[in-house]
Amino acid sequence: MRKILIDAHTHTVASGHAYSSLQEMARAAADKGLEVLGITEHGPSVPGTCPLLYFRNMFVVPRQMYGVRLLLGCEVNILDTKGSIDMPDDYIDYLDLVIAGIHVSWYKGGTKEENTQGMLNVIRHPKVHIISHPVDGSAEMDIEQLVLAAKEAHTLLEVNNHSLAPQRKKTVARDNNMELLRLCKKYDVPTILGSDAHVSFQIADYERLYPLLAETDFPDELIMNYWPERFFDYLGIKR
């Protein structure tokens, strides 16, 4: 296996239900040899998360820490089948990285077709970079449509390690992520592995995902965690 150099989806104590500080996360990323760490606090719909002022003030944080490039951003919540998100447009411009995901407690869903259309709208949002755990079962989706739209929009669909934790009881997450990987491989669409770390020890932990990659014989060239320069170029993020 190639060396993991990117973990784009992590949370600090600012998210309200995580357990490490920003500096602790950066230090752990450096200790694991990462080059890029995304710190993406939960959007404002989640109880206990940071206020909007937190995102406005992120300019005070150095973007290089312990030799690791930091991308500070938000995991915004997808709210409905229209693809509405809970981050005001004027705040998105403060973010280095925008991840969007469905969390069932704050999502008003519909049919498979309606859910898919809403997700397609988010995938095509010009300022959204990554879709977190898109097929974990929080809403039924047409996975093939998501993959094709992601390819066109240069938006990354995440395969999320945290979703496969037994405690999460996401019973369809494994099979759905297998299907996502097969379709990404079929259509030559890059993906990204997400730790969704809520404590520093979970950074770059993809142990539940490696069997899926092996079973699908998924090519390294399509896993963005190995390729920092390609990651920045694909998403249009300034280095």
Side-chain angles (χ1 to χ4, degrees):
M1 290 181 57
R2 294 182 181 272
K3 181 175 176 55
I4 294 289
L5 298 175
I6 299 172
D7 190 351
H9 181 180
T10 72
H11 301 272
T12 76
V13 290
S15 281
H17 57 277
Y19 301 94
S20 300
S21 70
L22 187 152
Q23 286 179 255
E24 288 169 336
M25 297 292 275
R27 179 74 265 177
D31 291 344
K32 292 187 176 186
L34 268 64
E35 294 184 7
V36 180
L37 177 67
I39 294 180
T40 49
E41 309 298 2
H42 280 289
S45 296
V46 176
T49 194
C50 45
L52 287 174
L53 179 60
Y54 176 92
F55 300 103
R56 182 184 288 271
N57 198 47
M58 287 192 304
F59 71 90
V60 304
V61 181
R63 294 314 199 262
Q64 290 281 344
M65 197 177 291
Y66 309 118
V68 178
R69 165 72 185 273
L70 296 185
L71 295 175
L72 302 186
C74 183
E75 184 187 12
V76 303
N77 294 282
I78 301 171
L79 301 175
D80 53 39
T81 58
K82 296 179 181 179
S84 307
I85 59 176
D86 67 345
M87 177 64 68
D89 286 347
D90 56 338
Y91 277 83
I92 288 181
D93 290 335
Y94 293 108
L95 309 177
D96 303 331
L97 184 67
V98 181
I99 298 177
I102 290 174
H103 299 92
V104 291
S105 297
W106 304 283
Y107 179 67
K108 186 177 181 180
T111 65
K112 179 178 180 178
E113 292 74 20
E114 290 169 336
N115 294 333
T116 300
Q117 185 55 57
M119 183 64 82
L120 293 176
N121 292 342
V122 180
I123 289 171
R124 293 166 179 151
H125 191 299
K127 295 183 180 179
V128 170
H129 300 109
I130 297 171
I131 304 296
S132 57
H133 41 75
V135 296
D136 69 353
S138 295
E140 191 177 8
M141 297 284 171
D142 184 322
I143 300 175
E144 187 166 25
Q145 286 195 53
L146 303 190
V147 169
L148 293 173
K151 181 175 185 176
E152 181 180 359
H154 276 218
T155 303
L156 293 174
L157 302 177
E158 178 196 66
V159 184
N160 185 285
N161 188 75
H162 195 51
S163 297
L164 299 183
Q167 297 88 340
R168 300 300 308 283
K169 299 180 181 179
K170 299 283 189 179
T171 57
V172 301
R174 188 183 192 280
D175 289 345
N176 282 357
N177 278 291
M178 289 284 289
E179 180 66 11
L180 177 67
L181 289 169
R182 291 189 184 102
L183 288 166
C184 285
K185 179 180 176 182
K186 175 181 177 180
Y187 292 112
D188 195 35
V189 181
T191 187
I192 190 160
L193 312 181
S195 73
D196 204 352
H198 283 65
V199 68
S200 61
F201 305 105
Q202 294 179 334
I203 287 176
D205 179 3
Y206 307 121
E207 290 302 317
R208 299 183 185 96
L209 304 182
Y210 294 137
L212 280 63
L213 298 174
E215 192 170 336
T216 57
D217 194 24
F218 198 78
D220 287 351
E221 290 71 22
L222 293 179
I223 300 173
M224 282 293 193
N225 307 75
Y226 302 142
W227 314 100
E229 296 301 317
R230 193 179 301 175
F231 170 83
F232 286 112
D233 288 344
Y234 192 82
L235 296 180
I237 297 173
K238 294 181 180 179
R239 293 179 178 79

